Structures are given as C-alpha cells and as structure tokens.
Amino acid sequence: MRRLPLRFTVPALGACIAVGLLVALGTGGTAPAAVKRPAAVKPSSSAKVSTITVTAGKPSELAFKLSKSSMVPAGTVTFKVTNMGVAFHNFKICAKPIASATDVTDACTGKATPVLKHGQTATLTLTLSKTGKYEFLCTVTGHAAAGMRGLVGVGVAVSTGEQKIATTSDSSAGSTGSSGGTTGGGGKGTGGGDNGATGCPPGVTVKSSGNADADGDELGTEPDDQDGCV
C-alpha cells in the first residue's frame, strides 16, 4: 500500500480532531458553565413622610386647625404652618408624648417655627418615632394658656373630647377682672388695648383689627405682648 506524504496526513488529522470536538459539543459534550451575574439590588424605598397642614388663627384667633391629628404614622412628620390670624402666632410640637390631655403644660422641649405675622408660612419637619400623644402649642405669651394648643396622636387615636380638654383655657386665663391687674390701663392709649403706645417698636403701628386677639392687653389688665404689632 502506497503511503501518503506526511504533509497530507497532518492536516487531515487536525481536521478530524476539530470535527470530533464539534460533535462532542453538539451531541452531549459539556459546554463551559455560564457565569451568573448577581441580581441587581433594588434601592430600598425611602421612608414615608407624613405631611400635616396647620392653620393658626382659625377657626378662631386663638386656635389651630390641623389636617390630621389622629393616627399619624410614626416617623418623619412635616407640618406646613400658615398664620391666618390677625395676631402673631407660631407652632411648636413637643418632643415627648404625654399620658393624657390633662397633662398639657404650655411649655416643653421641642421644635417650633418662627413667630409668624398674618399670611406668613413656615415648614417644620421632625421625627416622632415613639407612639403617643404629643402636645402642640403657640408659644406667644398667653396664647397657649388661652387654649391655643392641642394634641397630635402618633400611632394612636385622639378623640374630639381629648382635643376639647387640651384646648380648654387655663383657670388663670382671664381671671383678672376689668378693675383688677397690677398693670393698669394708663400705659395704654386712649383707644384701650393694643394701640402702639406700649410694647411695639418705634414706628410700628397696629391694625385696627389686630386688637381682637382675646388677650388681657386689650382690656388693659396686662402688658402689651406685641402680638398685634404689624
């Protein structure tokens, strides 16, 4: 038998090996395992922020109206405050809950907006993580004692009756009669009440409607607290 030259047998052998590999891969040979990429990690959704609108000076001058005050989810709460009263007001929320509506104190550690004139707005954001009833109030002198306060229930309900108790004026509010009080009306002008004669900075006047904020300074029984200065 005639033997083929070596130069012909080597390419033939290489072709056979290549064919064998292709057959193995296509008919049961094990292909390299596919590399699995880790699943994309979805960013965690940010914690929900509760937003409550607050109107000061409505429905009455020494009152607040909140869009929600019961069963507020624990966490970050944003209060959007607008003063619609004629007097100066602000909004403060106490940092710690109280046991009941009768425990309102008119003073607490917390966070407050600046004092706002009529029509001004401010935003107050804080974290209320503990379940309970939080007092809110106006810190302008005499306003909380006159009933400008209330409760926000975080994770708990606050009933209408509890709000009524919280907003009831202190027994000392308005206890001085028209003839009582150590600060006489002599410091007031002839118009009686807030008239810019005392308390307001020089050159600052008071709107004629601004003296109807239900404070003793309108009766001349206590010093002007400047809440009517504009």
Side-chain angles (χ1 to χ4, degrees), residues 31-185:
V35 177
K36 292 185 177 181
R37 296 180 178 274
V41 178
K42 295 182 179 180
S44 59
S45 57
S46 57
K48 183 179 179 181
V49 177
S50 300
T51 300
I52 299 175
T53 59
V54 180
T55 303
K58 295 291 181 181
S60 60
E61 186 63 48
L62 294 177
F64 286 111
K65 182 178 180 180
L66 277 64
S67 61
K68 185 178 181 65
S69 60
S70 185
M71 295 301 296
V72 177
T76 302
V77 184
T78 295
F79 296 93
K80 294 184 176 180
V81 185
T82 302
N83 181 12
M84 295 305 295
V86 295
F88 290 4
H89 298 299
N90 75 340
F91 178 84
K92 181 176 183 178
I93 186 82
C94 299
K96 295 181 179 181
I98 57 178
S100 68
T102 58
D103 295 328
V104 292
T105 62
D106 300 348
C108 66
T109 299
K111 194 171 182 180
T113 68
V115 175
L116 305 173
K117 296 181 181 180
H118 172 78
Q120 289 184 325
T121 63
T123 299
L124 187 67
T125 299
L126 70 163
T127 301
L128 301 175
S129 56
K130 187 175 181 179
T131 299
K133 299 168 185 177
Y134 293 78
E135 180 183 356
F136 62 84
L137 64 150
C138 174
T139 65
V140 174
T141 304
H143 287 193
M148 198 170 187
R149 60 195 175 202
L151 298 174
V152 169
V154 175
V156 296
V158 175
S159 67
T160 302
E162 289 177 299
Q163 290 288 17
K164 186 175 181 180
I165 293 172
T167 58
T168 300
S169 299
D170 293 348
S171 59
S172 59
S175 60
T176 56
S178 59
S179 61
T182 58
T183 57

